[in-house]
Amino acid sequence: QVQLVESGGGSVQAGGSLRLSCAASAATYCAGWFRQAPGKEREGVATIDSILPTTYADSVKGRFTISRDNAKNILYLQMNNLQPEDTAMYYCAASSTLGCGPVAGRFRYWGQGTQVTVSS
């Protein structure tokens, strides 16, 4: 069992930046960030994988960057130029299998989420 703990959420104005962190209790092959806004389905924001290319949702390309520190088992999401439509609960996810991609069902481990609120 892998525990994931997110941090770094908060409230910012449009155009601002936040960096989310996710500390994992063990190493994993796949990791990613998903988000869910009220009344909407959970969507993949960005994923990083040992064998597949890094993926980004079209809505965040050029603004968000996913990265990870493998030595510390920490996953990051740098979010720049945040917009009100980025407001959501952001979840860290991880898997001990390869080839996850932006598919939520392929991730076994999930964090509790961290809220990001962007005001206009």
Side-chain angles (χ1 to χ4, degrees):
Q1 190 75 9
V2 177
Q3 279 75 47
L4 304 174
V5 179
E6 302 104 331
S7 61
S11 298
V12 296
Q13 291 190 328
S17 298
L18 286 172
R19 188 176 79 156
L20 305 182
S21 299
C22 173
S25 60
T28 58
Y29 288 118
C30 301
W33 291 95
F34 292 76
R35 67 186 181 186
Q36 188 167 19
K40 295 187 177 180
E41 293 187 355
R42 186 171 296 190
E43 67 167 338
V45 176
T47 63
I48 191 166
D49 190 308
S50 297
I51 62 171
L52 294 179
T54 299
T55 69
Y56 292 96
D58 287 342
S59 59
V60 307
K61 284 180 181 177
R63 300 188 298 123
F64 291 11
T65 303
I66 189 172
S67 62
R68 62 181 172 182
D69 184 332
N70 291 326
K72 298 180 179 179
N73 295 330
I74 299 176
L75 180 72
Y76 300 101
L77 183 68
Q78 178 65 45
M79 305 185 293
N80 297 327
N81 191 22
L82 283 160
Q83 300 300 314
E85 51 266 34
D86 295 316
T87 294
M89 184 70 79
Y90 283 70
Y91 297 91
C92 172
S95 174
S96 298
T97 58
L98 294 168
C100 296
V103 181
R106 295 176 181 169
F107 289 83
R108 179 177 179 181
Y109 308 109
W110 291 82
Q112 294 299 306
T114 185
Q115 179 68 37
V116 172
T117 303
V118 185
S119 58
S120 57

